[in-house]
Amino acid sequence: MATLAPTSGGGADDVERYARARWSVLTEPGDGVAGHAIARWGAAAALDLALSDTSAPDIPELSERDWRRARARWLPRRDDHAYPLELARRVGARLVVPGDEAWPVRLDDLGVHAPPALWVRGRLDALADPVASVALVGARAATAYGVRVAAELSGDLAAGGATVVSGAAVGIDAAAHRACVAVEGRGIAVLAGGVEKSYPAGHADLLAGLSRRGVVVSEVPCGTAPTKWRFLQRNRLIAALADATVVVEAGWRSGSLNTAGHAAALGRPLGAVPGPVTSAASAGCHRILRDYDGRCITSADDVRELVGWDASAQRQGTSTDRTDDTTRILDALSSRSPRDVDELARRSGVEADRVSSLLGLLALDGRAVSDARGWRQGTP
């Protein structure tokens, strides 16, 4: 099946690849028993043992009871793989497994709870890109303040070369993804269901735009519905794919605190954006700052410091002068006379493609507005 062919040179052989695809159907995300079996025997041999009637294999970390209960979970799905694999083929989803050039090695830090495979739509090179990556997460019920801060952080970081990771939910996640797309940056959207279907459905265009330069991924196969459990487990992938996690806005019991917990458990840097002390929408961020030893984040520069981005930018030859270019474009805008991109490029001395990208970011927070005649200063 074409979907299961090696995705980017090297990687697992066809038998192992197919076995890992089957494991993604058999198991729920984060299944540690499957992880132990695959780590000890390899995906194909472990699959044969799981589907056979033999006694429990010799895995020191597992008891016979662990294995028996795991097989009781897996066996009802033993024949459920045909439809997900065919659906993946139809929508062009590709399988990425450990050993592939596109496999994000950051996920290996999850140990036996790492996914056996990833289902992917978009640019594979965005997964294994060595540049810094930052997870920006937060509440679905975001305030205007939270949305604006998420957009500013994401746009600034993405324009500077960082990969922005988030979960494609409404609220903070969507704001981060939109800003990343607006500046033509690289992003990773981690879904709790199959990659063939956007959830919520209203994010179809957003995810399509993101996948043109970034990637949409899931550890569950096509045709899988998102559930509360899968959302919570999805959060460990968001934390593992990023060099640092920043919670932009979150209530006291927000699910994004689950992502923060995974980041802390992995030993990854953790930050949070403070809000008004009277705002219940920021209570979770204040909790991170107090209880999780999170770093206070007030700007993209704070995030760069959190991940050592200056050093990364030097290694990658990436420019971090986005703020200076933004100032030049703002200076070139008029509050009354609309100007097109070429005119703004001439006035600012910034190349036209970069002007277009940064105008998209400025539009997100209202500092630039456009109509049929061109662009002018906004009133944020």
Side-chain angles (χ1 to χ4, degrees), residues 4 14 21 26 29 38 55 65 86 88 126 136 177 181 208 210 217 232 245 265 295-296 307 353 372-373 380:
L4 301 183
D14 289 345
L26 286 177
I38 293 171
S55 59
R65 182 170 180 268
E86 173 59 21
L136 297 177
H177 287 314
V181 171
L210 185 145
V217 306
L232 290 172
T245 293
R295 184 80 63 84
C296 180
V307 296
D353 288 346
R373 297 175 297 164

Side-chain angles (χ1 to χ4, degrees), residues 137-327:
V137 298
R140 290 173 170 82
T143 67
Y145 164 78
V147 168
R148 176 171 176 174
V149 173
E152 290 180 349
L153 291 176
S154 178
D156 197 327
L157 292 165
T163 297
V164 175
V165 186
S166 199
V170 297
I172 298 301
D173 290 12
H177 287 314
R178 287 195 183 98
C180 182
V181 171
V183 301
E184 299 182 358
R186 254 182 195 184
I188 299 175
V190 186
L191 306 188
V195 296
E196 87 289 354
K197 188 174 183 180
S198 300
Y199 184 87
H203 284 176
D205 289 343
L206 173 61
L207 294 181
L210 185 145
S211 66
R212 283 192 283 272
R213 283 184 56 85
V215 66
V216 178
V217 306
S218 180
E219 64 184 308
V220 298
C222 292
T224 303
T227 63
K228 183 176 181 180
W229 164 257
R230 292 168 188 154
F231 273 111
L232 290 172
Q233 288 296 93
R234 178 274 313 265
N235 291 342
R236 84 191 193 287
L237 300 190
I238 294 175
L241 285 167
D243 295 316
T245 293
V246 175
V247 181
V248 179
E249 186 177 53
W252 186 259
R253 298 184 181 277
S254 170
S256 56
L257 298 187
N258 176 259
T259 310
H262 285 298
L266 289 167
R268 305 285 169 82
L270 178 62
V273 176
V277 295
T278 55
S279 174
S282 291
C285 291
H286 300 155
R287 182 180 178 188
I288 290 171
L289 295 174
R290 187 186 68 186
D291 298 337
Y292 287 73
D293 197 26
R295 184 80 63 84
C296 180
I297 300 297
T298 62
S299 68
D301 285 340
D302 290 342
V303 181
R304 293 187 184 99
E305 182 180 342
L306 189 66
V307 296
W309 173 242
D310 287 344
S312 298
Q314 283 184 341
R315 288 195 300 270
Q316 298 299 324
T318 304
S319 171
T320 56
D321 63 352
R322 190 203 68 85
T323 301
D324 291 342
D325 284 353
T326 300
T327 301

Side-chain angles (χ1 to χ4, degrees), residues 38 76 78-79 87 105 128 159 242 261 269 282-283 289 353 371:
I38 293 171
R78 67 183 303 165
D79 298 320
L87 181 57
V105 294
S282 291
L289 295 174
D353 288 346
D371 57 30

Side-chain angles (χ1 to χ4, degrees), residues 73-165:
R73 297 195 300 268
W74 303 334
L75 290 180
R77 298 181 180 178
R78 67 183 303 165
D79 298 320
D80 290 354
H81 55 280
Y83 173 72
L85 300 188
E86 173 59 21
L87 181 57
R89 186 193 65 79
R90 294 207 309 262
V91 303
R94 289 169 288 180
L95 188 76
V96 177
V97 303
D100 286 347
E101 290 180 10
W103 178 257
V105 294
R106 292 177 176 95
L107 290 183
D108 296 342
D109 289 347
L110 292 170
V112 296
H113 300 291
L118 291 176
W119 296 95
V120 178
R121 296 184 75 178
R123 295 178 59 104
L124 294 180
D125 57 349
L127 269 179
D129 197 324
V131 302
S133 60
V134 178
L136 297 177
V137 298
R140 290 173 170 82
T143 67
Y145 164 78
V147 168
R148 176 171 176 174
V149 173
E152 290 180 349
L153 291 176
S154 178
D156 197 327
L157 292 165
T163 297
V164 175
V165 186

Side-chain angles (χ1 to χ4, degrees), residues 37 41 45-46 48-59 62-69 71 74:
W41 300 105
D48 288 342
L49 288 169
L51 300 182
S52 71
D53 292 328
T54 60
S55 59
D58 180 20
I59 302 177
L62 301 177
S63 67
E64 184 173 350
R65 182 170 180 268
D66 292 332
W67 184 254
R68 186 173 63 251
R69 293 181 63 183
R71 290 188 73 244
W74 303 334

